[in-house]
Amino acid sequence: MAFAELLERAGGVGLFQALQVVTLLLPSIFVPSQLLVDNFSVATPGHHCWVHMLDNGSEVPTNLTPKALLAISIPLGPNHEPHRCRRFRHPQWQFLDLNTTATNWSEAATEPCVDGWVYDHSTFTSTIVAEWGLVCDNQSLKPKGQAVFMAGILLGSLTWGFLSYWFGRKPMLSWCCLQVSVANTSTVFAQFLAYCGLRFLSAFGLAGIVLTMATLMVDWTTTCRRDFTMTVLGCSYSTGQMALGGVAFALRDWRALQLAVSTPFFAVFLISWWLPESARWLIITGKPDRALQELKKVARINGHKEAKKTLSMEVLMSSMKEEVVSARAHPSVLELFRVPTLRRRSCCLCVTSFAIMFSYYGLVFDLQNLGSDIFLLQVLFGAVDFLGRGANTFLLRFFGRRVILASFQAMAGLSILANILVPRDFQTLRVVFAVPAKGCYGVSLTCFAVYKPELFPTSLRMTADGFLNSVGRLGAVTGPLIRITHEVLPLLPPFSYGVIPIASSLVLLFFVPETRGLPLPDTIQDLEKQRPAAATGNRREVVITESTWF
């Protein structure tokens, strides 16, 4: 907890923190575009089998309407619309008779789409599904491709946690921005397998951006403003979701859309080099000289002239002596489970992280089943997410992290379960239930980002963050994949999306402590002091709030 005092000596919260937030807003706005672009670039347009008589302009009979040609060439599917995956072997002229029912056809009279498909281009001029035929027998390739992307984020979340401990937060942020921009830009020139590989690399880097960006913000923010800063970061994610809906509406070709959401990361790579390294990490890893330089740099930007006198190597080393000693042992994931206090927190947060991401991505990757105008839905989801995340600023002032996270997880789960009772034809009503669930996840994700680093000491914070992100991304991989079972068990996906977050909320309420108003713990011993220090921490928060302006 001593680093909080050093940060106060560097000016507390001021101009530097404002500039840091502004700098990190650009990547945080475009991160959701990378995560959710599949809603548009991999959208499944309406389609039917290519038929000579229907789709070969030179052979179309002039005396028949397109509707009549469709009736004699394509059988009706289960929803009484033209079948998407089968066609008649020969024209069924009898269906031109108004007294003949078009549903009376035999499987033997049809065949698969051996000549390919004809796609509806009224919504999208080009999508990956249409270009590479990811429909009918190949439709499972779509969720598998999404799972490959999520697997990249899963592995990246764990890997970047270790790499950022060894090499620092700032270099990893810059490298990840470059990796995302290069890999995702290259997808426009690739075939499907290469595309999946490049998206895996992009996702791998994207995990590093999310991880290091949030950690840099937390490490350079005082206790009283930490929740506000993370809320601003969360609201920028919501803004990115709304912006994606507008960009996708303007760019209906998947390649143009990919370039539009990828090239901004080149700019982030160039401007990220001014950011200072985390002084907290520098001290813990035995680089006090650089840490002192960074603290003085921040104090200079904040206009805190007294820092030249109050910040010295002696003050720094005496303040962080215990923390440096406790961090000499190199952290590993096993460290999270050796001490009973850490083990209980790690297990409970694993459940929470998995539940949130499992249900969240199951919901946001299913826009086409909620309504026909997916552009408006994306903007609407982003708007309600913004309101949910913005509400955290006020909620966190009056309620504890644990109560907020548990209650909004439960409400999201209940909204999803209620949607099970709504018939698929009532799309407006389904949206009415889905939108509050998305808003609840906006609150939950932002609160979790604030709550998570407050439960682990400095030496294990990045390791814990990377590990929990990996568990969460495992949920993100499982969430979309479970939709494959929809044909056999149609209630299993929505039931899972609703029940799991409700169970997670109960785990939080019973087994995880409250951290509101407490400084970030620097050692494992600080974790034991958190509960008795709660009252003191709350009083200290009021004093700091009155002396800062951010």
Side-chain angles (χ1 to χ4, degrees):
M1 298 183 186
F3 185 78
E5 300 172 5
L6 292 176
L7 196 56
E8 289 298 323
R9 291 172 181 264
V13 178
L15 179 60
F16 163 76
Q17 279 75 15
L19 292 174
Q20 184 194 46
V21 169
V22 171
T23 301
L24 295 176
L25 280 181
L26 184 58
S28 63
I29 287 174
F30 283 94
V31 161
S33 298
Q34 292 290 328
L35 291 172
L36 303 176
V37 71
D38 280 0
N39 275 329
F40 306 97
S41 63
V42 195
T44 303
H47 58 275
H48 61 76
C49 294
W50 188 92
V51 179
H52 254 300
M53 184 178 294
L54 181 62
D55 301 305
N56 190 336
S58 62
E59 298 185 13
V60 175
T62 57
N63 61 334
L64 293 178
T65 64
K67 184 177 180 180
L69 287 172
L70 192 64
I72 65 175
S73 304
I74 306 294
L76 292 182
N79 55 357
H80 300 288
E81 294 181 359
H83 205 291
R84 292 187 167 195
C85 299
R86 300 195 72 82
R87 69 181 185 183
F88 288 121
R89 297 178 185 273
H90 306 287
Q92 304 295 303
W93 301 105
Q94 69 273 17
F95 290 147
L96 293 177
D97 187 353
L98 297 178
N99 295 322
T100 303
T101 304
T103 55
N104 295 332
W105 56 273
S106 65
E107 190 77 16
T110 65
E111 63 182 359
C113 303
V114 294
D115 295 317
W117 297 266
V118 175
Y119 296 94
D120 178 11
H121 295 291
S122 60
T123 303
F124 297 100
T125 58
S126 174
T127 70
I128 289 171
V129 169
E131 183 162 332
W132 294 323
L134 308 184
V135 294
C136 298
D137 290 341
N138 296 325
Q139 64 182 340
S140 64
L141 292 176
K142 175 181 174 178
K144 288 176 182 177
Q146 292 174 335
V148 168
F149 178 78
M150 288 300 175
I153 296 182
L154 188 157
L155 294 178
S157 298
L158 184 59
T159 304
W160 293 115
F162 291 109
L163 291 179
S164 63
Y165 177 81
W166 289 104
F167 301 106
R169 279 71 157 138
K170 190 185 79 168
M172 295 302 99
L173 175 63
S174 299
W175 171 260
C176 288
C177 288
L178 180 62
Q179 179 174 322
V180 169
S181 58
V182 171
N184 218 53
T185 301
S186 301
T187 58
V188 301
F189 308 107
Q191 294 300 315
F192 181 68
L193 289 179
Y195 169 85
C196 291
L198 290 168
R199 285 287 283 168
F200 176 88
L201 291 176
S202 175
F204 193 86
L206 202 65
I209 294 176
V210 174
L211 187 65
T212 54
M213 186 169 56
T215 304
L216 279 173
M217 279 194 172
V218 168
D219 282 352
W220 282 112
T221 305
T222 57
T223 302
C224 68
R225 296 299 186 187
R226 193 183 309 132
D227 53 356
F228 176 78
T229 302
M230 296 307 293
T231 299
V232 170
L233 181 63
C235 288
S236 66
Y237 289 147
S238 306
T239 304
Q241 294 179 41
M242 289 187 284
L244 175 61
V247 173
F249 180 80
L251 303 175
R252 304 298 182 94
D253 181 87
W254 76 268
R255 286 187 171 87
L257 182 59
Q258 289 283 7
L259 289 175
V261 300
S262 302
T263 50
F265 285 95
F266 280 113
V268 179
F269 166 72
L270 295 175
I271 66 175
S272 64
W273 290 100
W274 84 268
L275 293 169
E277 181 56 88
S278 167
R280 186 193 297 268
W281 172 80
L282 290 170
I283 296 170
I284 293 298
T285 54
K287 302 179 180 70
D289 294 334
R290 281 191 58 196
L292 187 59
Q293 292 177 7
E294 301 290 18
L295 284 167
K296 288 183 176 180
K297 176 182 177 180
V298 170
R300 185 172 64 253
I301 296 174
N302 283 339
H304 195 69
K305 299 179 180 180
E306 296 180 0
K308 294 182 179 179
K309 299 179 181 178
T310 58
L311 282 175
S312 64
M313 186 61 67
E314 292 75 16
V315 171
L316 186 147
M317 295 306 296
S318 61
S319 299
M320 299 292 290
K321 185 176 180 180
E322 287 186 29
E323 291 76 3
V324 171
V325 172
S326 66
R328 282 180 179 173
H330 300 308
S332 69
V333 173
L334 295 178
E335 297 290 337
L336 298 174
F337 300 94
R338 287 179 179 169
V339 179
T341 302
L342 283 173
R343 181 164 57 248
R344 182 175 64 253
R345 296 184 181 192
S346 299
C347 291
C348 292
L349 292 188
C350 280
V351 173
T352 303
S353 185
F354 181 90
I356 291 176
M357 303 304 278
F358 172 83
S359 186
Y360 178 80
Y361 281 101
L363 178 66
V364 300
F365 277 160
D366 203 28
L367 288 187
Q368 283 192 299
N369 286 328
L370 292 175
S372 56
D373 192 346
I374 61 174
F375 306 105
L376 180 61
L377 278 174
Q378 183 63 62
V379 174
L380 186 61
F381 269 22
V384 73
D385 194 74
F386 184 94
L387 293 175
R389 291 178 187 268
N392 269 283
T393 302
F394 304 99
L395 292 172
L396 291 170
R397 286 180 178 271
F398 301 106
F399 303 100
R401 281 85 157 117
R402 179 180 58 177
V403 173
I404 295 172
L405 184 56
S407 59
F408 279 89
Q409 263 194 280
M411 286 190 287
L414 290 172
S415 296
I416 294 173
L417 290 177
N419 227 344
I420 297 177
L421 305 176
V422 181
R424 299 188 68 84
D425 294 338
F426 293 82
Q427 290 191 341
T428 302
L429 187 57
R430 290 176 64 83
V431 171
V432 168
F433 280 113
V435 166
K438 183 63 166 62
C440 289
Y441 280 121
V443 176
S444 299
L445 287 168
T446 305
C447 184
F448 192 53
V450 175
Y451 194 28
K452 184 170 49 176
E454 296 177 343
L455 290 167
F456 296 96
T458 300
S459 60
L460 290 172
R461 190 167 298 125
M462 283 297 288
T463 302
D465 204 19
F467 176 68
L468 291 173
N469 275 331
S470 296
V471 174
R473 296 308 170 184
L474 180 61
V477 171
T478 311
L481 277 179
I482 201 174
R483 292 206 309 270
I484 296 176
T485 66
H486 179 75
E487 295 296 329
V488 181
L489 299 170
L491 293 181
L492 179 60
F495 185 78
S496 301
Y497 299 150
V499 169
I500 290 178
I502 293 174
S504 169
S505 66
L506 297 177
V507 171
L508 276 174
L509 287 175
F510 287 109
F511 299 108
V512 184
E514 181 56 64
T515 61
R516 178 172 175 250
L518 301 179
L520 286 175
D522 286 315
T523 65
I524 294 176
Q525 289 72 24
D526 289 336
L527 300 181
E528 304 296 337
K529 300 175 186 176
Q530 279 187 335
R531 188 179 298 275
T536 305
N538 287 332
R539 289 197 296 271
R540 181 171 179 264
E541 182 177 17
V542 174
V543 175
I544 296 174
T545 301
E546 294 174 348
S547 63
T548 55
W549 57 269
F550 184 69

